[in-house]
Amino acid sequence: MWPKFEGSVTILLNLAGVNFLLSKKFFVKLVPPRLGDNLADCDRLLSALLVTAGKVSVPLGLLRRLPETLRAAEWRVTAILGRTEGGWRLQEVEAGDTTASHFGLAVDAGTTTIAAAVVDMTAGTVLAAASGENMQTSVGEDILTRILAAGQPGELERLQALLVMSINEVAAQAAAGAGIRVREIMAVAVGANTTMTHFLLGLDPAKICREPYIPVANAPGLFRAADLGLAAHPEAVVYCLPGVGSYVGGDAVAGVLVSGMHNREEVSLFADIGTNGEVIIGGRNWLVAAAGAAGPAFEGGVLQHGMRAAPGAVFRVKIHPQTHEVDYRVIGGVKARGLCGSAVVDSLAGMLLAGIIDRAGRFRDGREEFVVVPAGEAESSADIVITQQDIKNFLKTKGAVNAAVETLLEAVGVKLQAISRFYAGGAFGEHLDVEAAVTIGLYPDLPRNRIVLLGNSSLEGAKRALVSEAARRSLTKICGRITYFELNANGDFMTRFAGSQFFPHTDITLYPSVQKKLRGGGIIKA
Amino acid sequence: MWPKFEGSVTILLNLAGVNFLLSKKFFVKLVPPRLGDNLADCDRLLSALLVTAGKVSVPLGLLRRLPETLRAAEWRVTAILGRTEGGWRLQEVEAGDTTASHFGLAVDAGTTTIAAAVVDMTAGTVLAAASGENMQTSVGEDILTRILAAGQPGELERLQALLVMSINEVAAQAAAGAGIRVREIMAVAVGANTTMTHFLLGLDPAKICREPYIPVANAPGLFRAADLGLAAHPEAVVYCLPGVGSYVGGDAVAGVLVSGMHNREEVSLFADIGTNGEVIIGGRNWLVAAAGAAGPAFEGGVLQHGMRAAPGAVFRVKIHPQTHEVDYRVIGGVKARGLCGSAVVDSLAGMLLAGIIDRAGRFRDGREEFVVVPAGEAESSADIVITQQDIKNFLKTKGAVNAAVETLLEAVGVKLQAISRFYAGGAFGEHLDVEAAVTIGLYPDLPRNRIVLLGNSSLEGAKRALVSEAARRSLTKICGRITYFELNANGDFMTRFAGSQFFPHTDITLYPSVQKKLRGGGIIKA
C-alpha cells in the first residue's frame, strides 16, 4: 500500500551505484507525519525507497526499532539495503546522511590461509587488507583429513567455528587497518573452494570426497552474517561465490572472472595451484574444468618445513649451479622459520639446474635432504631443509595438475602450445618466480608474455562480487557454461598422473626452454 | 547457475494452484546424481523448481538437512515453498508425494476474542474452526489500557506473549478439530485491528493513540512463524492483513474485500462494530474510512455482565412490551453466565420498545438496573443485569459509530438513504438481530434487504489471503484507495458525537421504521 505519495518525501540519492552493490545506502529526508499525512513509519520509509529499490522487506528487529530511530534522527535517515534473492531487505537505518561510509568485506577462505580486504562500497576500492592462518589446520593440515573429521559428532560444528573464527580474526585486522568497526561491514563476499564453502555454511562435506562427488550446494545463495557468526553487522549480506563441482569451487570461478578469459575468442588456461590444482580451459565459446586433487603439497604443513607466506617465511631461494651456495630472502626481514610455496619452487628449480636432483626428483648423491637455511641462521636453530619425501609429495601435486591439464586438453582437442594465455591464480602465485615455475614444470613452457600471474584472484573476484551485480551475474553465467570433468573417476587422468611425476615433465620436448637450459648445464645429454 | 538441465528431472505438478497460495507444495522426482551428472543437491532441487517458481531461496537449516532428506526419500520429494517479498523460499522438503496434505491457518485476532480456522490450502476449504479469549484481557479489558500498559518495561513483550499464547491455544484446538499437528501449518494469515497487529509483531503501539496517530507499520509484510512464536511450522509464512491507519486495520479492510463493495458502482457502507467501530464508505470509484474510537462497549468486560459469545453467554433476549417478562437463550444450553453483544442489543431494543428506558437511555422509573436473568437461573446465583452505567457506555460507542458514519457521509456528500448496501462485519454481528440493531440505531434504518451481515469478515478475509494471491493484491489495492479520516482530531465528529447519544438517534426522522414502532407502542408521541 503506497498511498498519498505526493509531497511527503524528498529523495536524495546517487543513482550511480544503483543495482550494482551487494548492499547499498540511500539518504532520505522524510516529511514528518501529521494529521492528514498519517502514513505509518515503516510505510513512510519504504515509500521513499520504492522508486529506486522497489519492494523492500523489513526484518522484525529493525521494524521494532524504527519509530524511535526515525524520530531521533528527525526523519533524515540513511537506509541501508541488502540484496536478497528477489530484491532488497532493510539492513539498518542510520541517523543523518552516512552514505559516505559504506563498507564491505572481500574474503578468500583458503585451506591454509585466509585473506580479507575491507572495501569502500561506494568507491569500489580496497581500504585495507590482512591475512592469517586458517585455524582448521589444527584439525588437519590437508582438506581430506578435515572432511573425514567432520563425520565425527560435533566436529562439523567445530570446523565451522574454527573457520569463522579465522575469518573474523583477519576481518578484525583489516577493519583496524581501515579504521572502521567490523559492525560497519554491511556485505561479505567469500571466494573459497567447495569444501571451505561447506565448512563456512556448516554443510556436511562428506559426499564431496565419495563417488559420485556431490556437493550440498554449488550456488548456496545469500545469508545473514548473524546466521553464520561472521564478524560484521548482524544483517550483513553474505554471498559465497558459486562453484561448479566438488573440486572446482568459487575461488577457481573467480579466477576465470578476473582473467576475463570467458570473454576472449582464443583459448586460455587458468590454473589455481593450491589445495586441489583446479584447471579451467576455454574462452568465449566453451569452458571445461577439472581438478587434480592430489593433496595440498603447495600449502604449508605438508612439507616438513613448509609454512604460509607470513613473516619468517623464506620466499626466494637461489642456488649457485656450481658451488651449490644458497642465497635466500625472508618475509619481514626476520630470522627464517620455514619455506613458503615460492621458496620451494625456487629451491626445486635450483636443485634441478645444479644437478643436485635428477628429473625424477631423486638426490643424485644419495643424500636425504637439502639444507636451504642452515641451523645457525634459522629461528629454531635447526636446519630448514627440503627432504626426499617433500620432493615426492610435491611431484605428486604437480603431476596431478599436469595430468589434469593434459586430460582436459585431450578431451577438447587443443594442443598446449595453442593456449593463448596461461593464467596462474590463487594466493600461492603471489611471490612465485615464473622461470622457476616453468623449470620444474609447474607452469607450461609457453612464451613468457603468455603467462599472466593473477595474484589472489579469489580475493579479487570476491571484491568485484561485493561491488558489482554485473560481476555476480558473470560468475553465475561462467558456472553455467563450464563443463565439469570429474577426474577422480577418470582412467585417462589416472594413467597420465602415474606417469607425470618428473621435472619438468615425462616428455621433456614439451618444455623446450627447460630442455635447453638442462642441456646447457650438462644436466641432460644434448 | 542452472547447467545441464536436460533429463535430470521430472516435474509433476498441479498448475492450478500456482501463484495463488501463501505457501505451495510441489512434488518432484529428481534423477539421482551420478558421474557425469554431478549437480549439487540443492541446485538439483532448485533446478526442478525453477520453471514453475523461479528463484527460490533456501534457509541455512534446511540446506544443512537437504542431503540426508533427498537420499532418504530416494530423490522423490515434496518441496514446500513460502511466499517472500520478491519470490519464494524453501520452507520444508518432505519425503514422497505429500501434496494432498497442505494446511494453512486463518486468524482473526480480536481485542476480546480470537478466532481461527484450519484451511486446506489445496481445496481452499475450512477444515475446522475454533475460538477463544484473548488472554491480554488480563492486562486490560479495553485496548487503550493495554496500549498504556505496553509503555511499562517488559510489558510489550508480555502483551505479545499473551496474544501469541491465545492464538496458539485456538490454533491447537482448530488443528485438533482438523486432525492435523500444528507443525503441518505452513502459512498463517492474520486479520486484526492495527493495535493487535502491533502486539502480534511486538511493535510499540504508543503512537497509535497520540496525535498524529501514527502506526509503526500498516503493511508489515511477511514473517516466519518461528520469529513470532506462533504454533505452526517454524518456517510458516505469516501474513498480516494490511490496514490503513491507527484505527482502521486489516480486519476492517478484510470487510471491504469480503463485501466486494470496492468493485461495485454504487456506494456501500461497511461497519465493524467491535473495538473501534470502523466505518468504510464507498465503491469502485472512491473509498473513505474512519473509526469512532469510543471504547469497546460491545465487547465483553466493559458491561457489568458482558462476556464474549461462548458457552454460558445469553445471546438472545425478548422482553414482553407489556408484562416486561424476559425470555432468553443461552449458548451451549448451560446456565447463564453473562450477556454477549447480541443479548445487549436485544435487551436495549426490548427495553426501549417496552418503555422501560427513554430515548436518552434513562430508566423511566428511576431504577438502577434491569434484570435479564434472575439470580436463581444464573450460574453465579446472582442477577445478570444491565445497569444505567452499561447503557451510558453503550450509547457512547453507538454514538461514536453514528457520528463517524455521519461525518464521513457529510464529507463525501452522500445521504444515508443513498447507501445501496450496509454491510455489518466483525465477529460481533454473528448472532445479532437486525431489527433490534436498527431499533436502537446501531444499524441504519434502511430497507432490510439492503442490510447484509457478513459474519466474521476478518477471519474470512484472512482465509482468502491464505489461498489467493489475487485476494492479497486486492487488500493492498483497497488500502491504497482508501482515504483515511482521523476523527480523533475532527471537530465536526466531536460535535456529532456529543449530540448523538440517543436511541435510535437524536434525529428520529432518520429512523422512520423505529419512529413508527415507538409511536405504535405509545412510547413517543405521534
Side-chain angles (χ1 to χ4, degrees):
Chain A
M1 187 210 39
W2 312 106
K4 285 144 277 163
F5 192 62
E6 30 149 352
S8 74
V9 71
T10 311
I11 305 170
L12 303 176
L13 56 90
N14 173 12
L15 277 164
V18 175
N19 279 331
F20 291 102
L21 307 172
L22 212 47
S23 166
K24 62 184 186 184
K25 281 193 167 189
F26 289 119
F27 174 55
V28 288
K29 280 174 165 180
L30 304 171
V31 171
R34 55 187 157 73
L35 285 171
D37 175 12
N38 71 323
L39 213 50
D41 291 346
C42 180
D43 309 53
R44 185 171 299 266
L45 177 63
L46 297 190
S47 298
L49 298 168
L50 184 67
V51 182
T52 44
K55 270 202 168 186
V56 175
S57 66
V58 181
L60 204 50
L62 206 49
L63 187 60
R64 287 174 181 160
R65 284 190 279 121
L66 197 59
E68 289 319 310
T69 307
L70 292 177
R71 284 167 183 78
E74 293 178 335
W75 306 93
R76 300 160 62 97
V77 293
T78 300
I80 317 182
L81 306 188
R83 256 293 181 220
T84 62
E85 222 58 83
W88 297 97
R89 67 181 162 78
L90 195 63
Q91 295 181 280
E92 187 57 277
V93 178
E94 294 174 338
D97 184 351
T98 66
T99 48
S101 305
H102 190 199
F103 308 103
L105 186 76
V107 177
D108 167 43
T111 308
T112 308
T113 304
I114 309 290
V118 169
V119 175
D120 180 322
M121 295 289 280
T122 312
T125 52
V126 170
L127 297 175
S131 70
E133 199 185 17
N134 183 338
M135 298 179 200
Q136 288 184 329
T137 48
S138 64
V139 174
E141 291 286 352
D142 67 297
I143 208 158
L144 194 62
T145 307
R146 297 182 213 171
I147 292 179
L148 296 178
Q152 301 304 310
E155 283 301 294
L156 175 56
E157 291 71 19
R158 192 159 79 95
L159 279 155
Q160 202 240 358
L162 284 168
L163 179 56
V164 167
M165 275 167 58
S166 309
I167 295 174
N168 288 353
E169 201 163 294
V170 176
Q173 277 176 47
I180 67 163
R181 288 167 301 134
V182 287
R183 217 195 128 82
E184 294 179 75
I185 294 168
M186 299 310 298
V188 182
V190 185
N193 62 55
T194 305
T195 303
M196 281 302 135
T197 301
H198 276 57
F199 281 134
L200 175 62
L201 301 178
L203 306 177
D204 182 8
K207 287 164 190 74
I208 285 179
C209 62
R210 293 191 187 91
E211 202 176 311
Y213 313 102
I214 306 298
V216 179
N218 275 326
L222 300 166
F223 301 93
R224 290 168 65 241
D227 291 339
L228 300 176
L230 285 176
H233 189 287
E235 292 291 343
V237 181
V238 181
Y239 170 78
C240 293
L241 273 65
V244 290
S246 281
Y247 297 104
V248 176
D251 52 354
V253 176
V256 175
L257 176 78
V258 173
S259 74
M261 60 188 273
H262 59 298
N263 290 326
R264 302 181 54 230
E265 192 65 36
E266 314 89 65
V267 175
S268 301
L269 195 167
F270 168 84
D272 181 347
I273 304 162
T275 304
N276 293 320
E278 295 96 337
V279 173
I280 305 179
I281 299 177
R284 188 197 314 225
N285 301 310
W286 50 267
L287 287 162
V288 294
F298 293 89
E299 303 226 329
V302 171
L303 301 194
Q304 189 166 324
H305 291 121
M307 69 174 283
R308 65 185 191 85
V314 176
F315 70 100
R316 178 75 51 243
V317 176
K318 281 196 192 314
I319 300 171
H320 194 279
Q322 280 80 43
T323 64
H324 298 186
E325 224 168 87
V326 177
D327 183 20
Y328 66 89
R329 290 176 65 189
V330 181
I331 296 176
V334 295
K335 276 198 161 188
R337 289 175 47 221
L339 309 170
C340 78
S342 57
V344 177
V345 171
D346 276 359
S347 302
L348 293 173
M351 289 193 280
L352 183 68
L353 293 176
I356 298 167
I357 55 172
D358 63 16
R359 285 187 55 228
R362 285 177 304 245
F363 285 110
R364 293 196 161 183
D365 60 2
R367 75 173 102 171
E368 280 299 312
E369 58 182 42
F370 178 81
V371 178
V372 181
V373 179
E377 298 168 19
E379 197 200 56
S380 64
S381 305
D383 288 345
I384 294 173
V385 300
I386 290 177
T387 68
Q388 186 66 71
Q389 188 59 44
D390 287 346
I391 301 173
K392 267 193 191 165
N393 288 343
F394 184 93
L395 267 174
K396 252 193 200 163
T397 306
K398 186 203 77 82
V401 176
N402 292 154
V405 168
E406 287 160 26
T407 306
L408 280 186
L409 287 175
E410 173 82 20
V412 295
V414 171
K415 296 276 173 215
L416 184 64
Q417 297 301 325
I419 296 292
S420 76
R421 283 216 176 71
F422 173 81
Y423 295 101
F428 172 66
E430 234 172 321
H431 298 280
L432 212 67
D433 179 66
V434 172
E435 279 312 313
V438 174
T439 298
I440 61 169
L442 188 63
Y443 290 178
D445 193 358
L446 294 170
R448 300 304 183 258
N449 62 359
R450 291 204 222 158
I451 297 177
V452 181
L453 303 188
L454 291 179
N456 189 341
S457 45
S458 171
L459 187 64
E460 172 63 21
K463 197 208 91 181
R464 293 192 195 176
L466 213 48
V467 296
S468 158
E469 188 155 307
R472 295 196 301 280
R473 265 193 239 111
S474 290
L475 288 168
T476 302
K477 265 190 216 153
I478 292 167
C479 287
R481 283 175 47 207
I482 290 177
T483 304
Y484 177 65
F485 281 67
E486 183 53 67
L487 297 187
N488 268 304
N490 185 303
D492 191 25
F493 169 75
M494 288 303 169
T495 311
R496 286 177 197 277
F497 175 48
S500 68
Q501 290 167 44
F502 284 85
F503 293 123
H505 195 276
T506 322
D507 180 2
I508 187 80
T509 64
L510 288 172
Y511 283 75
S513 81
V514 182
Q515 192 176 25
K516 205 175 150 195
K517 271 188 207 168
L518 291 174
R519 274 180 185 153
I523 308 298
I524 59 169
K525 286 178 187 104
Chain B
M1 190 209 36
W2 312 108
K4 285 142 277 171
F5 192 63
E6 31 151 348
S8 73
V9 71
T10 312
I11 305 170
L12 303 174
L13 56 89
N14 174 12
L15 278 165
V18 174
N19 280 331
F20 292 102
L21 307 172
L22 212 47
S23 165
K24 63 185 186 183
K25 281 192 167 192
F26 289 119
F27 174 55
V28 289
K29 282 173 163 180
L30 304 172
V31 170
R34 54 188 156 73
L35 286 171
D37 175 13
N38 71 323
L39 213 52
D41 291 346
C42 180
D43 308 52
R44 187 172 298 267
L45 178 63
L46 296 191
S47 297
L49 298 169
L50 185 66
V51 183
T52 44
K55 271 204 166 184
V56 174
S57 65
V58 182
L60 204 50
L62 207 49
L63 187 60
R64 287 174 181 159
R65 285 190 278 120
L66 196 61
E68 290 320 307
T69 307
L70 292 176
R71 283 165 183 79
E74 292 176 336
W75 305 93
R76 299 161 61 96
V77 293
T78 299
I80 317 182
L81 306 187
R83 258 293 183 219
T84 63
E85 221 58 82
W88 297 97
R89 68 182 161 77
L90 195 63
Q91 295 182 280
E92 186 58 277
V93 178
E94 295 176 337
D97 185 352
T98 66
T99 47
S101 304
H102 189 198
F103 307 103
L105 186 75
V107 177
D108 167 44
T111 308
T112 308
T113 304
I114 309 290
V118 169
V119 175
D120 180 322
M121 294 290 280
T122 313
T125 52
V126 170
L127 298 175
S131 68
E133 199 186 16
N134 182 340
M135 297 179 201
Q136 288 184 331
T137 48
S138 64
V139 174
E141 291 288 350
D142 67 298
I143 209 159
L144 193 63
T145 307
R146 298 182 212 171
I147 293 178
L148 296 178
Q152 301 303 312
E155 283 301 294
L156 175 57
E157 292 71 20
R158 191 159 82 96
L159 279 155
Q160 202 241 358
L162 284 168
L163 178 57
V164 168
M165 276 166 57
S166 310
I167 295 174
N168 289 353
E169 200 163 294
V170 175
Q173 278 177 45
I180 66 162
R181 288 167 301 134
V182 286
R183 218 195 127 80
E184 294 178 75
I185 294 167
M186 298 310 298
V188 182
V190 184
N193 63 53
T194 305
T195 303
M196 282 301 135
T197 301
H198 276 56
F199 281 134
L200 175 61
L201 301 177
L203 305 178
D204 181 7
K207 288 168 189 71
I208 286 179
C209 63
R210 291 191 189 92
E211 203 176 313
Y213 313 102
I214 306 298
V216 179
N218 275 325
L222 301 165
F223 301 92
R224 290 168 65 241
D227 291 337
L228 301 177
L230 285 175
H233 190 288
E235 292 291 342
V237 181
V238 181
Y239 170 77
C240 293
L241 274 65
V244 288
S246 281
Y247 296 105
V248 176
D251 52 353
V253 176
V256 174
L257 177 79
V258 172
S259 75
M261 61 188 271
H262 59 298
N263 291 325
R264 302 180 57 229
E265 192 62 39
E266 314 88 68
V267 175
S268 301
L269 195 166
F270 167 84
D272 181 347
I273 303 161
T275 302
N276 293 321
E278 295 96 337
V279 173
I280 305 180
I281 299 178
R284 188 198 313 226
N285 300 311
W286 51 267
L287 287 162
V288 293
F298 294 89
E299 304 224 329
V302 172
L303 301 194
Q304 188 165 326
H305 291 120
M307 69 174 284
R308 64 184 191 86
V314 176
F315 70 99
R316 179 76 49 245
V317 176
K318 283 198 193 308
I319 299 172
H320 194 282
Q322 280 79 43
T323 66
H324 298 185
E325 222 167 274
V326 178
D327 183 20
Y328 66 90
R329 290 175 65 189
V330 181
I331 296 176
V334 295
K335 275 199 161 183
R337 288 176 45 224
L339 310 170
C340 78
S342 57
V344 176
V345 171
D346 276 0
S347 301
L348 293 173
M351 288 193 282
L352 183 68
L353 292 176
I356 299 168
I357 54 174
D358 64 17
R359 284 186 55 228
R362 285 177 301 246
F363 285 111
R364 292 194 161 187
D365 58 4
R367 76 173 100 174
E368 280 300 311
E369 57 183 43
F370 178 80
V371 177
V372 181
V373 180
E377 298 169 20
E379 198 200 55
S380 64
S381 303
D383 287 346
I384 293 173
V385 302
I386 289 178
T387 68
Q388 186 67 69
Q389 187 60 44
D390 289 345
I391 301 172
K392 266 193 191 165
N393 288 343
F394 183 93
L395 267 174
K396 253 193 201 164
T397 307
K398 186 203 78 80
V401 176
N402 292 154
V405 169
E406 288 160 27
T407 307
L408 281 186
L409 287 175
E410 173 82 20
V412 295
V414 171
K415 296 273 171 213
L416 183 65
Q417 296 301 324
I419 295 293
S420 77
R421 281 213 178 70
F422 172 80
Y423 295 102
F428 173 67
E430 235 172 321
H431 298 279
L432 210 67
D433 180 65
V434 171
E435 279 312 313
V438 173
T439 298
I440 60 168
L442 187 62
Y443 289 178
D445 194 357
L446 294 170
R448 299 306 181 260
N449 61 358
R450 292 203 220 160
I451 297 176
V452 182
L453 302 188
L454 292 179
N456 190 340
S457 45
S458 171
L459 186 65
E460 172 64 20
K463 198 209 91 182
R464 294 193 193 175
L466 214 47
V467 296
S468 159
E469 187 156 307
R472 293 197 301 281
R473 265 193 240 111
S474 290
L475 288 169
T476 302
K477 265 190 217 156
I478 292 168
C479 287
R481 283 175 48 205
I482 290 177
T483 303
Y484 178 64
F485 280 67
E486 183 52 67
L487 297 187
N488 267 304
N490 185 303
D492 191 26
F493 168 76
M494 289 303 169
T495 311
R496 286 177 196 278
F497 174 50
S500 67
Q501 290 167 45
F502 283 84
F503 293 124
H505 195 276
T506 320
D507 180 2
I508 187 80
T509 63
L510 289 173
Y511 282 76
S513 82
V514 183
Q515 190 175 28
K516 205 174 150 193
K517 273 188 206 167
L518 291 173
R519 274 179 185 156
I523 308 300
I524 59 169
K525 289 182 185 99

